[in-house]
């Protein structure tokens, strides 16, 4: 017998570690930009599994690639070669112009690997060169090292002792970074566009100036594009918008369209810091995940695909700005690029998100009071109108 939503809520409450603040729906299946709960209710999905389902749900070429690969070889360990992995690595190296790629299973693992290789590289220059500078309000993951890199004290509480050598600066404040950097700096690690912290893009020439400081002190620039990469900004890598190139870039979320994967890509010079045995993973980059990644990597970088992200993103932004003009006391700022957009509210957003959900649209609130839109990249202007129509019908109640 099919369980009811109530059955599932009760099972979850009894047996699942209660770390998530979940919305009270049980999702069952999806199709394109829509998902359906277990009662058959339809929702338009403008969260996309938190920037993961870049090709939408049940995208036929992705389903076929995963099913086909599952029937041939799901996994074989990294002790052997597979074509899907070799292909996916080549595509990432070609797209980034960097030197070597490595696959893990998540964003946290991608960043963990990036931190490890940066430390090893800097250690080769000078064993004291270990400082890693990250930003306040950043998000880099939940492992002990990546949560330390995450500049949000609320995520650190109770998990000490945390690894040494991490310092924090305010994102977009170049003077503060300059003051903190020295020959002891191993790496500066930033999100190209801050996501979880509230959707903050870099201002003016901030990233270019960060790049110059890194060059001056022979420190590595690590850009975390786990959320903003994979076409979301309108370019395949978000850094392409800002005229910089990192030494290391990390990807995950959208990279395999929903199959767990993470990757870090490094320059050939940085790659030389790692030798056989220095890093590894059992699952990472297995043929199943890489077959999925290959579909994303054959689709998202296409000119027409990225053009849609840019055009629909610009349309979406304009419509959000129109809403802001209508409700200036409630919506105080619109931020973002392409299809990572945030509407800063003057009050908490959770109730709005819940009401919008009730009316059939999935959106998200981050950093307490920022409505964050990170939909599948295949959305249309009509679908933007659909979601904003629902949002607009909910907002008046929240205007003081
Ligand atoms: C989601 C996210 C991570 C962590 O990824 P997980 O797959 O949850 O480990 C790291 N960095 C950024 C910018 C993210 O958005």
């Amino acid at each position: 017998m099919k369980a009811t939503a109530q059955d599932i809520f009760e099972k979850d409450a009894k047996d699942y570690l209660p770390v998530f603040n979940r919305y009270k729906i049980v999702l069952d299946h999806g199709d394109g930009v829509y998902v359906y709960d277990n009662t058959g209710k339809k929702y338009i999905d403008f969260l996309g599994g938190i920037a993961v389902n870049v090709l939408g749900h049940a995208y036929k070429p992705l389903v076929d690639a995963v099913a086909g690969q599952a029937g041939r070889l799901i996994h074989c360990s990294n002790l052997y070669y597979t074509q899907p992995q070799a292909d996916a690595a080549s595509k990432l190296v070609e797209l980034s112009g960097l030197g070597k790629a490595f696959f893990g299973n998540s964003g946290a693992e991608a960043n963990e690997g990036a931190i490890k290789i940066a430390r090893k590289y800097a250690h080769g220059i000078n064993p004291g060169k270990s400082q890693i500078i990250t930003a306040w309000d950043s998000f880099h993951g939940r492992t002990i090292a990546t949560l330390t890199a995450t500049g949000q004290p609320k995520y650190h509480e109770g998990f000490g002792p945390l690894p040494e050598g991490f310092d924090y600066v305010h994102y977009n404040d170049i003077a503060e970074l300059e003051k903190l950097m020295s020959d002891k700096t191993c790496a500066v690690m930033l999100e190209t566009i801050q996501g979880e912290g509230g959707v903050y893009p870099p201002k003016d020439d901030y990233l270019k100036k960060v790049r110059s400081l890194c060059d001056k002190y022979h420190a590595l620039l690590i850009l975390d594009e786990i959320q903003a990469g994979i076409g979301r900004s309108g370019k395949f890598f978000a850094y392409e918008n800002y005229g910089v190139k990192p030494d290391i870039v990390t990807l995950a979320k959208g990279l395999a369209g929903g199959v767990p994967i993470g990757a870090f890509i490094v320059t050939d010079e940085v790659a030389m810091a790692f030798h056989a045995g220095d890093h590894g993973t059992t699952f990472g980059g297995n043929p199943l995940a890489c077959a999925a990644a290959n579909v994303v990597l054959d689709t998202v970088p296409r000119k027409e695909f990225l053009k849609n992200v840019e055009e629909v993103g610009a349309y979406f932004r304009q419509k959000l700005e129109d809403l802001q003009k209508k409700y200036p006391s409630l919506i105080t700022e619109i931020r973002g690029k392409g299809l990572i957009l945030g509407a800063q509210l003057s009050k908490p957003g959770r109730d709005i998100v819940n009401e919008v959900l009730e009316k059939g649209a999935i959106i998200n609130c981050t950093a307490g009071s920022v409505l964050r839109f990170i939909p599948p990249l295949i959305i249309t202007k009509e679908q933007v109108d659909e979601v904003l129509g629902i949002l607009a019908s909910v907002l008046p109640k929240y205007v003081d």
Side-chain angles (χ1 to χ4, degrees):
M1 208 182 70
K2 203 173 157 186
T4 65
Q6 199 53 41
D7 294 338
I8 292 165
F9 300 153
E10 280 167 21
K11 266 194 180 172
D12 180 273
K14 184 169 160 288
D15 299 326
Y16 194 84
L17 198 68
V19 295
F20 298 109
N21 219 342
R22 300 195 215 249
Y23 296 96
K24 287 279 196 179
I25 58 172
V26 178
L27 291 176
D28 185 78
H29 62 282
D31 181 18
V33 178
Y34 297 89
V35 289
Y36 298 80
D37 73 12
N38 69 337
T39 69
K41 182 170 169 180
K42 183 181 181 180
Y43 302 84
I44 184 165
D45 179 11
F46 265 41
L47 178 58
I50 317 185
V52 168
N53 302 99
V54 289
L55 300 175
H57 300 276
Y59 181 70
K60 186 77 169 43
L62 182 59
V63 172
D64 290 347
V66 170
Q69 188 60 47
R72 272 194 302 281
L73 187 69
I74 291 177
H75 179 83
C76 63
S77 94
N78 280 307
L79 301 181
Y80 310 96
Y81 301 87
T82 69
Q83 185 175 346
Q85 188 185 84
D87 286 347
S90 297
K91 287 169 197 173
L92 286 178
V93 165
E94 160 111 39
L95 285 164
S96 64
L98 297 173
K100 300 272 183 286
F102 180 88
F103 296 107
N105 306 287
S106 67
E109 267 182 75
N111 284 337
E112 189 82 25
I115 291 166
K116 277 182 71 180
I117 200 167
R119 279 273 174 82
K120 193 98 196 295
Y121 173 83
H123 192 94
I125 299 168
N126 162 10
K129 193 173 171 63
S130 60
Q131 180 194 42
I132 294 177
I133 302 176
T134 70
W136 295 116
D137 295 323
S138 60
F139 186 82
H140 297 296
R142 303 285 198 156
T143 63
I144 287 282
T146 59
L147 87 85
T148 306
T150 294
Q152 302 192 54
K154 68 176 181 193
Y155 290 132
H156 296 177
E157 266 163 44
F159 293 111
L162 299 176
E164 292 170 31
F166 289 83
D167 288 306
Y168 312 95
V169 293
H170 289 91
Y171 189 78
N172 274 326
D173 186 337
I174 195 72
E176 194 185 345
L177 180 66
E178 184 159 19
K179 237 194 252 160
L180 195 57
M181 283 184 79
S182 71
D183 290 331
K184 296 274 165 66
T185 308
C186 156
V188 176
M189 178 171 181
L190 299 169
E191 288 161 89
T192 307
I193 299 171
Q194 287 194 326
E196 203 261 0
V199 188
Y200 289 95
K203 284 198 177 128
D204 308 320
D205 281 340
Y206 177 64
L207 288 179
K208 277 191 187 164
K209 289 175 183 159
V210 173
R211 175 75 267 178
S212 306
L213 285 174
C214 286
D215 293 342
K216 178 173 170 193
Y217 293 109
H218 204 153
L220 299 177
L221 175 59
I222 304 173
L223 290 178
D224 176 344
E225 298 219 352
I226 288 164
Q227 186 163 155
I230 320 289
R232 186 155 297 280
S233 70
K235 307 268 189 213
F236 186 79
F237 291 101
Y239 62 73
E240 296 171 55
N241 293 294
Y242 305 108
V244 289
K245 220 170 138 183
D247 302 288
I248 306 178
V249 62
T250 58
L251 296 172
K253 292 201 163 82
L255 178 55
V259 178
I261 194 167
F264 63 90
I265 317 164
V266 302
T267 61
D268 277 314
E269 188 188 330
V270 172
M272 286 194 288
F274 266 9
H275 302 102
D278 283 341
H279 196 54
T281 168
T282 299
F283 288 124
N286 81 11
L288 187 78
C290 287
N294 281 318
V295 175
V296 171
L297 294 173
D298 288 340
T299 309
V300 172
R302 287 203 193 131
K303 250 200 183 126
E304 327 82 79
F305 190 96
L306 292 175
K307 197 159 160 253
N308 182 64
V309 174
E310 206 177 308
E311 283 180 8
V312 177
Y315 178 81
F316 198 164
R317 192 195 176 95
Q318 183 59 53
K319 292 280 157 172
L320 285 170
E321 283 170 359
D322 292 347
L323 268 184
Q324 185 199 357
K325 278 190 201 109
K326 207 164 161 198
Y327 305 114
S329 66
L330 178 61
I331 304 177
T332 57
E333 191 180 27
I334 305 299
R335 297 187 291 265
K337 184 133 193 106
L339 287 173
I340 173 166
L341 293 169
Q344 178 70 56
L345 304 176
S346 54
K347 57 175 67 165
R350 177 97 183 172
D351 291 345
I352 295 176
V353 169
N354 265 315
E355 272 198 60
V356 166
L357 181 69
E358 180 62 33
K359 293 192 167 185
I362 293 179
I363 62 168
N364 169 250
C365 175
T366 193
S369 58
V370 180
L371 297 181
R372 175 177 51 165
F373 304 93
I374 38 179
L377 303 179
I378 56 167
I379 60 165
T380 62
K381 291 177 185 171
E382 291 72 28
Q383 288 161 341
V384 170
D385 289 340
E386 190 180 337
V387 167
L388 290 184
I390 294 174
L391 181 62
S393 75
V394 165
L395 289 181
K397 210 174 110 184
Y398 293 89
V399 178
D400 295 316

